[in-house]
């Protein structure tokens, strides 16, 4: 079992922080379905934004099992340190630093993976945040990419600096910033990083099945895997992967009835968290992910995207599952057959 600071995790299958996705309801659901650890979507380091509606939601961890891990993003070392303390006071037990986001709006302000082009700033941010968290005995982790582009791969150097400066664990996505999410993630750099440092390494990128998770762990020697996009609409992937890693056989996929119950539970929590107006709108993407593999559901999803009532949204989903033709078609290719 992997450890970060004083925290020991039940399995090495983690939820990736994804902006607009890994909110509190989603993290709670993933943890309930077997995720060993979950990191929040990134929170702003700018104090002017801390009391905005968006940031207030992102620092709301009510009912979330510990350890609560909050990812912070920014480019100013002092501001990042201040943000770390702010989030600790809001309940964070682990602080994660984002140096991997490839989004243009993030990189254009020298945050996220843009920091990989400025190692001096990387050092300053890591030092300031680690020092700020030390009095609270809060471990700091780092999520990053292999480099800015394929001509400037510097993940090993960044990882060594991170270890020297007191980072407790490192997550590495096997793409450069300029790769965005295109092509295939590569794992040779993750393997090289694991060989170069002694702190735990979490492998991230294109891990979408139990077999792929095992391959990546075996090939890289990483201590854990982190799953992001493959869990959208398929949150039970965490228990499938954890079971496979432990038993070397596949877990039976969830039944249609279980999928319905999970989706409805997810939505109820989602609505409570966001409220009626925002909840019905932000739920649409999650519903779309659950049904994305069903060509016959396209017209129905168009209808879902026009609904403006949470009650009606739930009723529409219940009607879908109660329709025997639809239910027969909802054979679960989202989860592997055993």
């Amino acid at each position: 079992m992997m450890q970060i600071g004083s925290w020991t995790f039940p399995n090495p299958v983690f939820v990736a922080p994804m902006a607009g996705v890994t909110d509190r309801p989603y993290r709670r659901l993933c943890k309930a379905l077997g995720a060993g650890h979950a990191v929040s979507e990134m929170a702003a380091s700018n104090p002017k934004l801390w009391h905005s509606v968006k940031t207030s939601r992102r620092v709301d961890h009510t009912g979330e099992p510990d350890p609560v891990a909050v990812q912070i993003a920014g480019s100013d070392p002092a501001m990042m340190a201040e943000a770390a303390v702010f989030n600790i006071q809001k309940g964070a037990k682990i602080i994660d630093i984002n140096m991997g986001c490839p989004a243009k709006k993030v990189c254009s302000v020298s945050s996220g993976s843009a920091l990989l082009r400025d190692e001096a700033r990387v050092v300053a941010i890591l030092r300031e945040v680690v020092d700020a968290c030390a009095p609270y005995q809060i471990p700091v982790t780092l999520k990053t990419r292999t480099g800015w582009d394929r001509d400037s791969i510097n993940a090993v150097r960044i990882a060594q600096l991170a270890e020297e400066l007191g980072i407790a664990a490192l997550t590495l996505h096997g793409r450069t910033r300029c790769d965005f999410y295109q092509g295939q993630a590569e794992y040779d750099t993750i393997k090289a990083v694991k060989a170069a440092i002694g702190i735990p390494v979490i492998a991230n990128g294109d891990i979408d099945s139990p077999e792929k998770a095992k391959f990546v762990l075996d090939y890289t020697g990483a201590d854990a895997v982190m799953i992001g996009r493959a869990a959208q609409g398929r949150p039970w992937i965490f228990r499938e992967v954890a079971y496979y890693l432990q038993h070397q056989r596949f877990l039976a996929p969830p039944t249609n009835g279980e999928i319905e119950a999970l989706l409805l539970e997810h939505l109820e929590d989602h609505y409570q968290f966001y409220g009626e107006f925002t909840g019905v709108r932000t739920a649409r993407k999650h519903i779309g992910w659950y049904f994305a593999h069903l060509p016959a559901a396209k017209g129905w999803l168009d209808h879902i995207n026009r609904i403006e009532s949470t009650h009606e949204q739930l009723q529409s989903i219940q009607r879908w599952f109660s329709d025997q033709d639809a239910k027969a078609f909802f054979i679960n290719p989202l989860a592997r057959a055993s």
Side-chain angles (χ1 to χ4, degrees), residues 181-198:
Y181 295 98
Q182 299 170 350
Q184 298 295 312
E186 59 92 359
Y187 305 114
D188 288 329
T189 303
I190 300 176
K191 182 177 183 179
V193 165
K194 177 57 186 174
I197 61 176

Side-chain angles (χ1 to χ4, degrees), residues 124-325:
I125 289 173
L126 297 183
R127 179 179 290 119
E128 290 270 1
V129 174
V130 169
D131 287 350
C133 293
Y136 302 91
Q137 298 184 313
I138 297 294
V140 180
T141 59
L142 172 65
K143 189 173 191 295
T144 187
R145 286 189 169 223
T146 57
W148 176 256
D149 58 30
R150 297 187 186 186
D151 294 323
S152 56
I153 301 292
N154 61 345
V156 171
R157 173 65 179 158
I158 295 295
Q160 290 171 330
L161 290 170
E163 182 176 33
E164 291 170 10
L165 292 164
I167 292 297
L170 182 140
T171 300
L172 184 58
H173 185 121
R175 286 182 173 89
T176 68
R177 184 273 175 180
C178 290
D179 288 330
F180 288 90
Y181 295 98
Q182 299 170 350
Q184 298 295 312
E186 59 92 359
Y187 305 114
D188 288 329
T189 303
I190 300 176
K191 182 177 183 179
V193 165
K194 177 57 186 174
I197 61 176
I199 59 176
V201 172
I202 301 106
N204 178 221
D206 294 348
I207 298 167
D208 57 5
S209 69
E211 307 100 305
K212 187 66 172 287
K214 186 177 187 306
F215 165 78
V216 171
L217 287 171
D218 289 346
Y219 184 78
T220 64
D223 302 275
V225 291
M226 183 170 276
I227 299 174
R229 290 171 295 160
Q232 294 174 354
R234 185 187 166 190
W236 49 85
I237 189 175
F238 298 102
R239 72 182 183 190
E240 291 180 336
V241 172
Y243 186 89
Y244 184 82
L245 293 177
Q246 182 176 359
H247 300 286
Q248 303 302 300
R249 61 178 185 271
F250 296 112
L251 183 68
T255 64
N256 292 326
E258 185 180 7
I259 293 171
E260 179 184 10
L262 288 172
L263 175 54
L264 294 177
E265 179 185 354
H266 182 187
L267 292 178
E268 291 280 14
D269 196 14
H270 189 91
Y271 300 150
Q272 185 177 20
F273 186 67
Y274 285 101
E276 176 74 18
F277 181 85
T278 301
V280 71
R281 289 161 175 78
T282 52
R284 292 167 183 164
K285 61 190 171 191
H286 289 282
I287 298 168
W289 288 327
Y290 277 89
F291 290 87
H293 69 293
L294 295 177
K298 185 180 184 305
W300 176 75
L301 287 173
D302 290 341
H303 165 68
I304 283 285
N305 289 335
R306 293 191 298 271
I307 291 174
E308 296 192 0
S309 156
T310 58
H311 178 70
E312 188 181 348
Q313 203 173 60
L314 285 176
Q315 281 192 323
S316 184
I317 291 167
Q318 289 169 323
R319 283 196 298 270
W320 170 274
F321 278 96
S322 66
D323 184 318
Q324 290 305 307
D325 291 334

